[in-house]
Every structure is written in structure tokens, then in C-alpha cells.
Amino acid sequence: MGHGGMDHGEMDHGEMDHGEMDHGEMDHGGHGGMDHGGMDHGEMDHGGHGGMDHSGHGGMDHGGMDHGEMDHGGHGGMDHSGHGGMDHGEMDHGGHGGMDHSGHGGMDMAPGGIALAGGGEDRDGLEMDVLHLPLGPVLPFWPAGLVLRCSLQGDVVVDAEASVVDGAGAGGPGPGPAPAAVVWCDQVMALLALAGVEDAAACARRARDALLHGDQGAARAAAERLHRTIRRSRLLRWSLRGVLPLDPSDLEQHGLPRRCLGDAHDRLLARLERIRAEAGGAEPVPVEDAAVPWAVLPELVTGLELASVRLAVASLDLDPHPAVQAVGHG
Amino acid sequence: MAESVVTTVPGGWAVLAGILLCGLAFFAVALDAALSARAQGTGGGWGAPLGRAARLLRQRRRSTVAADTLLWRIGGAGMLVGAFLMIAVIPLGEWTLADLDVGVVWFNTVDVMVWALVWLAGWGANSAHGLVGGYRFLAHGLAYELPLMFALVAPAIAAGSLAVGDVAAAQDGVWFVVWMPVAFLVFLIGVTGFSVWGPFTPALAADIGGGVLAELSGVDRLVLQAGRYLFLTAGAAFSVPLFLGGGAGPVLPGWAWVLVKTVAVLAVLVWLRRKLPLLRPDRFMEIGWMVLLPAAVLQDLVVSLVVVWKG
């Protein structure tokens, strides 16, 4: 490698992620005249550099480098940000012999400005590309404002990170608090739409509209019809069974309210019962006002396939900006 | 080959066949829109698709960074072209465009091409959503394709020919759907499958922002969507000579019966879409291999035994 005359001044290599780089047998001879002043190699991790030859660095000026917290054991955590948004996550640099790094222009690691997918170990132990895909904050049939940054291998979520835009519970400038049953209808509608039962989803939407307009008769009819359709649909049960099953110990572990018990289909039926009771004019069902904490979501969805993640999220009545709760507490 | 039961018409008639196919496909689009509007409790419906198509034609084409444009376009346009290839072997009463000895295999070949087309359309956009959608379709394909092939075999065995015209003519007594209902059902499942229709739309589903359709815009989107409807229509039309006696029927001429039966099958497929949930690709695999495939093979066995027994 000929780095003669390079000026790496002001480079910020903090948090580079060169995981799985193999710099074995590299020959760094001939770096004459490099000026590495002002580099910040904080948190670099240089593992596997066996056989490197750094002889012949005459005239290099490493003054001002900050190698604090370097860990020469495996290249985790480096970040070449400052190189135009490149993401070198988990690239394999093995076998780059003879590359010319001068000016950092010769390597097209990010065609079109998008980083290549890095590799990662799949469940079966083979390497598989990792794609980063944010779900939300705006997505059809998704809790508004919730962002789930997923790392995907194929369509399996191997890692996730949840956040909420504009802070949780801030209560946006919405049209005001909605009755609980209306929100339930919306959530049922989202789950049904994701499962692909369009007629039933349309029915849930009509029930919601009727509730909003105060048309109790129409709401009751729609709720009854919906309940009947859902209970009778064996295909829907087949599709939702076993999606995010939660037993009492899971609820306790994640701090979830009791209404989350069972799998997606159980939760759907339970919510339909509540809508039916509400629309039927029965005395208001005592509602646990414990919100489902969105922060536990990554633990719940990691390891699920993307479609299951969507169904699972829709089956929990997540409400990052709870308009309903505002009634009770405001 | 031996004397043919259908007349092969000059190639120029392909234009009329294409127009017929488009007309039937538009019927499917309009019916779907009308059913949608009714379910939502809104008015109109029938005319809405025209407005949507016009809007897509005017929409500026959106592109993604580092898209594989060539493959992307091949995927979309191929869907449009494929359906026209299919109808070449479907006899309209006594006329056909191409009386191939291996018409049934031709149909099967085109429907297998859809695997590549949908996947390319998902791959080309260079988007995670599209890619997931493309692979979802492949997973579905793995589950529906083999049962579909075995379902296609049943009428061919009974007729002793792979020419579509012969298969239709072999049903002068009793329609094949009567004594091979399983094959008919599996065939319809296959048709919905390769049309990416109804329960087989996880590749285009809302949970991945439209999947294969996520990045398609303007005329590209129109072309792929039209291709799906055309495939659905061609599949429904193919069920007529294969299982529903071709042009057989009282009073009306053969070609009219073919159209009537096609419309009927098409309407059922369109109507069913709204009633059935998506078949999740991971779970449908089990149904495809554990239920549909053995059922189709068993159907073939029964048909073979009947053919042998009748001599």
C-alpha cells in the first residue's frame, strides 16, 4: 500500500465497525510523509493483524493522535463517518492486497451512496447479509410515532431497537381524545388488514365510524357481524395462531398488562368482545389502564419473521401517544 | 399431427384475442373496485380503476438509488406479456391462435416464468421491502407450483393429449370438473398463486409497504398491476377448456360459452379475494406439500385408473 503524502488530518475514525476484517500479511511499508495529525482512533479495535509489517514509516507524524481506548482484538466499533455517510459495518476486508487507498476514491464500497449489506451469522451458522430497515414512524397499520429499527437477515428480525418520535406520551395536536372503543376498533382493523381479510377490516372501520358518529345501532350491528366473521374464519385462526404467544410468566417478565395473554388470535378475540360489549351498550367494561410499554418491543420481536413482527405489533394495543389515557389523567 | 378438433386462425386475430383478454381483465378490475367500494360503504367503484390508471399514466416515474433498472423493467413488463402468451393456446370455441401439441405444457411454462418476473420486479428496485416481497413470492411458488403441475396433468391424462383443443373435446360427455374436482381446485389455487392474487399477495402486502410494488410508480406500476389481472383472467380462461367443457353448452355458440364460463370463474376468484386472509408463505408451505401435493397426485392416480379401466 502506498500512502505516501496522504493527509488524514481531521479524520474521525471513532466507532468504526470493521468487524471480521482480516489484515493478515499486510505490508504497510513505505508510508513516508503521512500526516496523521488530529486523528481520533477512539474505540478502534485492531484484531487479527498478524504478520503486518510497519517498517519504513519514516517521516510520519502521528502527533496529536488519540488512541485512547483502543482495543486491538477484532475491529469492532469503528466508524468512518465523515467519509460521506459510508457505513463499513461488518465488511470483509480480507484479500485487499495491492489496493490503493490514496484519496479513498478507488474503492466503491457504497454504490450510489448506499452501503453494501454487511454479513452476519445466520441462525444456521452460515453467513448472511444484514439489512437495516426502520419500521415506522409512519407506516400503514402501525402505531403512529413508533420507530422500530430492525436488522434483518432475509426477512427475520435479528436485532431491533425501539423509539418514539416526539417523546412518548406527549399527546400530539390530535383531534382530541377518542373513546376507547373507537381506538380498539382501529387496532382490530389494523390487525385484520395486515392479515389480509379486507372485508372484515372494512367492517371494523365501519364500526369505528358508527361509534364516532354516535350511531349506536349501526355500531352494534357491525360489531356483531365482525365478531361472527372472525370467530368463524378458520383460515384467519390458522394465520394468527402462535403469533407472539405470551404466557403469564412472559407478561411478568416484560411488565405487560394481563390483556396481552395468549397469542395474536386470542388478543384479537378478547378485544372484539370488549368492542361488542361497548357497542352493545353494556356497562363499560373495566379497562386496565396500564399501557403496553413499547420499550419491551425489541425483546418480543427479535427472532420473528417480518410479517409476524407486523402482526405481533398490531396484536398488542400499543399506543405511543395515548389519546385515551389523557381522559382519565387529564 | 392428426386431424385437429380446432381451427387455427391467422396470426392477425391475435389482436382481437388480446383485446378480449384486456376487456375481461378490465371486468375483473372493475368488479373488484365495486366490491371494495361496497365493503367500505362508499359509492361508485366501477369507474374508479379508469381514474386510477389515468393518474398512474400521468405520474412521473420515480426511481431508486442504484436500481437495477433493466431487470426491474423486465419483471414488470414480463407480467404484461406473459398473459398474452398464455391465451395463444386457449381455444375460443372452435378457433385457436396456436394449436400446439403441447399446449398444456406451454401454459405451464409461462406460469413458471412468473417466478422470475415477480422476483426481478422485487429485486430491481434495490429496496429491502421489494426484496422481501420477491422472496415471499418464491416461497409461495415453491408451495403452489408442483401441485399445480400435477393438477394440469389430470385432464391431460383423461384426454390422452396435451393439446388444449383435444382436452376440451374429450369432455363431450361429462365435464372434467365433475370427476376431478380436486385437480380443479388445486388448479384455481395455482392460478391465484401465479397471478399474485388474493391469498397469495403477501409479496405485495401492506405489512412491507407494498413489497414488490413499494417502489413502483407511474406506468411501471400500472404495467405490473395490469399484468396481474391479465394473468388472473388468462388462468380463469384456461380452466374452461381444461375442466369446464370448453365451448360446450346449449343455445349459445361455443365462443360465447367460453366467455361466459371465463367470466364466471373470474368473478368467483375476484369475490373470494375479499373473504380470505393472506396465506402466510412460511405456513402455506406445509399446506402445499402436505395437503395439496398428495391430493393432486391422488387425483392423477384416480384419473389414470379410470382411463385404464375404460380402456
Side-chain angles (χ1 to χ4, degrees), chain B residues 15-27 80 83-85 87 229-235 237:
Chain B
V15 178
L16 181 66
I19 291 171
L20 265 181
L21 178 67
C22 290
L24 289 170
F26 184 76
F27 160 76
L80 191 72
F84 290 101
L85 295 179
I87 57 161
Y229 280 99
L230 290 171
F231 261 114
L232 190 73
T233 310

Side-chain angles (χ1 to χ4, degrees), chain B residues 140-162:
Chain B
H140 262 152
L142 281 173
Y144 78 70
E145 191 64 54
L146 272 178
L148 171 61
M149 286 178 179
F150 281 101
L152 287 172
V153 165
I157 296 174
S161 165
L162 285 168

Side-chain angles (χ1 to χ4, degrees), chain A residues 195 199 205 238-239 241 308, chain B residues 40 274-275 278 280 283:
Chain A
D199 267 3
R205 197 176 287 127
W238 167 80
S239 165
R241 267 280 165 247
S308 307
Chain B
Q40 312 265 0
R274 316 198 48 79
K275 302 292 170 192
L278 298 176
R280 295 175 50 196
R283 300 194 172 183

Side-chain angles (χ1 to χ4, degrees), chain B residues 111-112 114-116 118-119 133-150 186 189-190 193-194 200 279-294:
Chain B
D111 91 58
V112 171
V114 175
W115 285 46
V118 174
W119 185 83
Y135 278 111
R136 281 187 183 179
F137 181 75
L138 290 192
H140 262 152
L142 281 173
Y144 78 70
E145 191 64 54
L146 272 178
L148 171 61
M149 286 178 179
F150 281 101
V186 172
I189 291 174
F194 68 67
F200 289 93
L279 296 169
R280 295 175 50 196
D282 47 342
R283 300 194 172 183
F284 181 67
M285 193 72 82
E286 192 177 319
I287 294 190
W289 284 79
M290 304 305 288
V291 181
L292 296 184
L293 188 56

